[in-house]
Amino acid sequence: MYCTVEDFIAEWKNEAALTQNILDGLTDESLSQQVYPEGRTLGRIAWHFVTNIPDYLSEFGLTVAKVPNLNEVPSAKVIADTFRTVSIEVEKALHEQWTDCILKQIQKAFGRMESNATIFMGLIKHIVHHRGQVTVLMRQAGLPIPAVYGPSKEGWARLGILPPF
């Protein structure tokens, strides 16, 4: 749990760096990858969680500039660059707009009463959830997967170690 704004910023920066590595590995060709024919594409999922960040935070009292053209999935480079920009803006907004006391305040979120710290943890979990979906679709699209919380198949190979079963 986050007791201070700095705690949240530290976690935000760590998770953003992991997510940025994933998004930087996307290609324009991979954006159309789907798990099943009616499912969302890799591009739609990545663009969703990138563009959702300012909306999510604004809903709970932190002002971050909205991302334009939410309905049009852009190129892989634009998705990655937009995430980079949004991540920096989130950190800046937290420093400027929030205090440790605000982080502890309780408000209604998703039908429950939760602290702002818990609400923000939910945002990170939302991104992690979709990041996992993106890595599966990247694998299906034949892209290498960067390490997230440990080596990927490619990372184990670079270490000269067989991946665990």
Side-chain angles (χ1 to χ4, degrees):
M1 182 55 67
Y2 315 110
C3 296
T4 67
V5 172
E6 287 304 318
D7 290 343
F8 179 77
I9 290 171
E11 181 78 0
W12 177 261
K13 288 168 74 170
N14 288 335
E15 291 298 325
L18 295 171
T19 302
Q20 190 68 60
N21 286 340
I22 297 296
L23 295 177
D24 286 342
L26 298 178
T27 63
D28 289 340
E29 297 76 27
S30 71
L31 297 181
S32 62
Q33 183 67 43
Q34 294 173 284
V35 173
Y36 58 96
E38 300 83 26
R40 290 190 287 179
T41 63
L42 186 162
R44 174 57 58 204
I45 293 168
W47 192 232
H48 156 69
F49 77 76
V50 169
T51 60
N52 177 256
I53 296 166
D55 292 336
Y56 186 106
L57 292 173
S58 294
E59 178 72 23
F60 299 109
L62 188 72
T63 304
V64 179
K66 303 226 184 251
V67 177
N69 304 319
L70 302 177
N71 296 322
E72 299 174 26
V73 176
S75 69
K77 181 177 180 348
V78 170
I79 292 171
D81 289 349
T82 301
F83 182 78
R84 187 176 288 106
T85 299
V86 168
S87 295
I88 292 167
E89 289 298 316
V90 167
E91 183 181 348
K92 181 179 172 188
L94 283 163
H95 276 296
E96 293 174 357
Q97 299 173 33
W98 279 47
T99 64
D100 296 346
C101 289
I102 293 173
L103 197 62
K104 294 172 185 158
Q105 289 176 353
I106 307 292
Q107 61 177 308
K108 192 169 190 169
F110 311 110
R112 302 178 301 270
M113 298 304 289
E114 296 183 344
S115 70
N116 286 327
T118 301
I119 292 167
F120 278 21
M121 183 171 51
L123 174 62
I124 288 178
K125 288 179 178 181
H126 178 249
I127 293 167
V128 168
H129 160 72
H130 288 305
R131 186 175 68 204
Q133 292 176 318
V134 166
T135 60
V136 168
L137 291 170
M138 288 174 73
R139 178 68 70 211
Q140 290 180 339
L143 297 177
I145 309 299
V148 179
Y149 297 125
S152 62
K153 177 180 85 170
E154 296 82 3
W156 287 111
R158 280 192 298 278
L159 294 171
I161 301 171
L162 288 176
F165 293 99

